[in-house]
Amino acid sequence: MMKNLLRTELRKAFRNGYFLASLALGILFVALSAWYEISLYYSDIGFLQQVRTVEEMGYVKYPLIPMSILYNSWIGGECVSVGYTLFFTLLPLLAVLPYGRSFSQEQKNGYLKVIIPRCGRTRYFASKWVATFLSGGVAVVLPLLVSLGICALVFPAVKPNVIYNQYFAFGHESMGSALFHTHPLVYTFLYLGIDFVFSGLFACLSLTTAFFFRPRLAPLVVPFLLLIGADLLRTFFLYISYVEVSPLLLMHPMPVVNATKAVVLLGWLLVFTALSVPVVYAKGRRYEIL
């Protein structure tokens, strides 16, 4: 029964127009980022022109390839384009949109009166949570993989050189800096895994919201506003701790403003887990079908 219910939930989560719309928006944003980086790479003031100029002037001391490479050109490495801004600002909506409203809709259309007596509350909410988590993670990480793939066709995937660290904004005090400079591809995929977990938990906040707010748009709007509010915390700590506290900026593999710390990242993961798993479990066990 549990396996069939989970299969049904996954089919509903990944075969609906909202999931495709979220995926399309995410891919559009990463395409805008890639277009900006590639056009700059080939422009008159871009990397190739800089290489040509310094070679003609005859004072090249170090190889210039590590200035502009895959790891600071894909959307997880750059932080100036419109595509980057749209993607990482609207990321909570991209995660919640695919399946975030499912439980709220099923509360209203009578589906729960049929499915819960047949499979039980625990199985229903467990399957719903897993499907929501996976849909949120895929909706965010798949566009990131598309960005990485597009940029890999143009930019060299060489190791970052500490000589050009000003092009990476990745100081030694940031989490994973040693791994980034020695095995950048491993670091990138590990961070994609972190983003998957974050995005899945963002999506599951919609389930928590549906227990407390009845309006149909609440499962989409409330998690977004919660995360935007958490993002605003960085304005209070920007020049105080010099540590990144915004969960949205922590999802960017390259430090954007302040140094990233593992303890802060794990702290946010625990917060979002606590807001979804225990609440859904406790509320789900006592849920009364109206």
Side-chain angles (χ1 to χ4, degrees):
M1 176 65 75
M2 181 66 182
K3 185 184 296 184
N4 293 334
L5 183 59
L6 180 58
R7 186 182 297 115
T8 300
E9 290 294 332
L10 290 174
R11 188 181 302 115
K12 289 160 58 181
F14 289 101
R15 296 183 182 179
N16 68 79
Y18 292 108
F19 175 78
L20 296 178
S22 177
L23 209 57
L25 281 174
I27 292 174
L28 173 62
F29 297 155
V30 302
L32 289 173
S33 168
W35 176 82
Y36 171 82
E37 287 293 320
I38 293 171
S39 62
L40 183 63
Y41 188 71
Y42 287 104
S43 70
D44 292 337
I45 60 172
F47 166 74
L48 296 180
Q49 181 61 35
Q50 293 179 43
V51 172
R52 188 178 303 111
T53 300
V54 295
E55 287 179 346
E56 290 173 353
M57 297 177 70
Y59 57 80
V60 178
K61 185 177 181 181
Y62 302 106
L64 296 181
I65 287 179
M67 287 172 53
S68 186
I69 61 176
L70 171 63
Y71 303 107
N72 67 346
S73 299
W74 72 299
I75 198 170
E78 65 95 1
C79 57
V80 294
S81 71
V82 173
Y84 152 80
T85 302
L86 290 172
F87 187 88
F88 283 95
T89 301
L90 299 179
L91 190 151
L93 285 180
L94 297 179
V96 173
L97 183 61
Y99 208 47
R101 294 181 60 203
S102 172
F103 173 53
S104 180
Q105 290 174 329
E106 291 172 0
Q107 283 181 305
K108 296 177 174 61
N109 63 18
Y111 178 75
L112 299 185
K113 297 178 181 179
V114 176
I115 193 65
I116 286 183
R118 294 182 59 187
C119 68
R121 293 175 176 82
T122 301
R123 290 192 181 97
Y124 170 79
F125 283 106
S127 300
K128 182 68 70 177
W129 193 95
V130 171
T132 304
F133 178 87
L134 293 177
S135 65
V138 171
V140 171
V141 171
L142 191 56
L144 291 175
L145 287 172
V146 170
S147 173
L148 193 65
I150 293 173
C151 291
L153 298 174
V154 177
F155 299 96
V158 300
K159 287 184 180 180
N161 192 321
V162 293
I163 296 174
Y164 303 105
N165 205 46
Q166 66 270 27
Y167 296 98
F168 296 90
F170 209 132
H172 68 279
E173 71 278 5
S174 286
M175 176 188 70
S177 60
L179 181 61
F180 175 75
H181 285 93
T182 55
H183 299 90
L185 189 60
V186 174
Y187 171 86
T188 299
F189 277 97
L190 284 176
Y191 222 97
L192 287 175
I194 293 173
D195 286 351
F196 189 97
V197 175
F198 261 116
S199 303
L201 292 175
F202 290 170
C204 290
L205 290 177
S206 63
L207 295 178
T208 301
T209 301
F211 284 114
F212 298 98
F213 298 93
R214 291 297 180 181
R216 292 189 176 185
L217 291 180
L220 298 180
V221 175
V222 173
F224 178 72
L225 294 178
L226 175 66
L227 289 161
I228 292 298
D231 180 68
L232 293 176
L233 288 175
R234 63 189 171 91
T235 60
F236 298 101
F237 293 92
L238 185 58
Y239 299 114
I240 298 176
S241 64
Y242 295 96
V243 173
E244 189 57 69
V245 297
S246 165
L248 298 181
L249 292 187
L250 282 170
M251 292 185 67
H252 193 263
M254 192 81 68
V256 177
V257 180
N258 289 318
T260 56
K261 299 293 184 180
V263 64
V264 181
L265 187 146
L266 291 174
W268 278 120
L269 285 177
L270 289 175
V271 168
F272 295 131
T273 301
L275 288 174
S276 62
V277 178
V279 175
V280 173
Y281 177 76
K283 287 286 188 179
R285 287 187 63 188
R286 300 193 301 267
Y287 181 78
E288 294 295 333
I289 305 173
L290 301 178

